């Protein structure tokens, strides 16, 4: 068929019928991911515990042309490998301190001075690249991961009295393995608690 303007009009003879029980079975139809459905990368916490004199078993680098502090050379079977670090991970926090904008020598120093336990908050390399390319604020990403009321545990320095000890009783909470109540008390403790 030809129109008045000289263009040829083609009529399609095939029709498409959608049957919800069979699903979409049309090779012409292409589904495109909705831009809103892109997931936000989720940081993960890795706690590394090592013995005295043992290495954590990874290197931290800054590479030319790439952003962030990059985990490299994770020793298979080492402390870092067992704790979940992977080659290419990007470091966001060291011991609850945001380090994305901290100079590399300072970050390495924080790791060296951490003692035998180290808490790292990381993003995998791909998630990091996605977040940066979308312009996401990494510190907001970290805050969202931790939640509103998340605060680090308090560190208390207690001096032991030679005669009376620390003056604390630790009482196990029934039905909750690994949880204890801590209350002031004498060195001698009655019941199921331990006085120190």
């Amino acid at each position: 068929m030809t129109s008045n303007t000289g263009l040829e009009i083609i009529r399609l003879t095939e029709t498409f019928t959608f049957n919800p029980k069979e699903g979409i079975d049309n090779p012409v139809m292409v589904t495109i991911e909705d831009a809103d459905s892109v997931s936000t990368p989720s940081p993960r916490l890795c706690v590394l515990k090592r013995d005295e004199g043992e290495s954590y078993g990874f290197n931290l680098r800054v590479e030319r042309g790439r952003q962030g502090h990059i985990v490299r050379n994770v020793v298979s079977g080492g402390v870092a490998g067992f704790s979940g670090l992977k080659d290419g991970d990007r470091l966001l926090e060291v011991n609850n301190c945001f380090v994305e904008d901290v100079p590399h020598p300072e970050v390495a120093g924080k790791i060296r001075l951490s003692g035998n336990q180290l808490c790292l908050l990381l993003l995998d390399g791909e998630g990091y690249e996605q977040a940066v390319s979308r312009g996401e604020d990494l510190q907001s990403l970290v805050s969202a991961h931790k939640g509103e009321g998340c605060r680090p545990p308090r560190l208390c320095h207690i001096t032991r009295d030679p005669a009376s000890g620390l003056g604390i009783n630790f009482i196990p909470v029934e039905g909750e393995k690994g949880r204890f109540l801590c209350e002031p008390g004498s060195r001698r403790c009655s019941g199921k608690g331990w006085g120190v």
Side-chain angles (χ1 to χ4, degrees):
M1 178 185 277
T2 309
S3 69
N4 295 346
T5 59
L7 295 174
E8 186 172 322
I9 299 174
I10 301 173
R11 293 193 186 247
L12 297 176
T13 56
E14 293 184 331
T15 60
F16 171 71
T17 308
F18 175 70
N19 183 343
K21 290 183 180 176
E22 294 178 359
I24 298 175
D25 191 24
N26 184 352
V28 177
M29 239 177 124
V30 177
T31 56
I32 299 173
E33 284 186 31
D34 186 8
D36 295 338
S37 70
V38 176
S39 64
T40 302
S42 180
R44 69 182 193 285
L45 180 67
C46 292
V47 179
L48 290 75
K49 295 179 184 178
R50 66 179 180 181
D51 293 329
E52 196 65 42
E54 185 180 19
S55 165
Y56 281 121
F58 74 97
N59 292 336
L60 191 65
R61 299 181 49 174
V62 175
E63 295 178 357
R64 192 179 318 243
R66 302 185 82 183
Q67 292 179 299
H69 304 282
I70 304 171
V71 173
R72 292 287 186 215
N73 304 324
V74 177
V75 175
S76 176
V79 175
F82 280 127
S83 299
L85 262 72
K86 296 180 185 112
D87 193 67
D89 283 344
R90 304 298 172 88
L91 189 58
L92 299 176
E93 279 190 352
V94 174
N95 295 333
N96 212 34
C97 294
F98 187 73
V99 295
E100 173 63 20
D101 51 0
V102 176
H104 184 72
E106 197 174 322
V107 175
K110 283 181 182 287
I111 292 171
R112 273 194 290 280
L113 295 174
S114 67
N116 292 331
Q117 182 169 320
L118 178 64
C119 296
L120 302 176
L121 191 65
L122 307 145
L123 266 179
D124 64 89
E126 186 180 317
Y128 180 90
E129 295 293 339
Q130 287 175 358
V132 169
S133 69
R134 289 194 305 242
E136 288 187 41
D137 178 24
L138 295 174
Q139 195 154 19
S140 297
L141 190 69
V142 167
S143 298
H145 171 73
K146 290 181 174 182
E148 282 294 314
C150 183
R151 291 186 308 223
R154 293 181 304 163
L155 177 65
C156 300
H157 181 78
I158 303 171
T159 306
R160 183 182 176 105
D161 182 271
S164 63
L166 294 174
I168 299 172
N169 291 329
F170 295 97
I171 304 165
V173 176
E174 271 191 57
E176 295 188 41
K177 185 178 177 182
R179 294 219 30 202
F180 298 87
L181 292 175
C182 179
E183 60 182 41
S186 67
R187 185 153 205 219
R188 293 180 183 89
C189 181
S190 61
K192 295 183 177 181
W194 298 282
V196 281

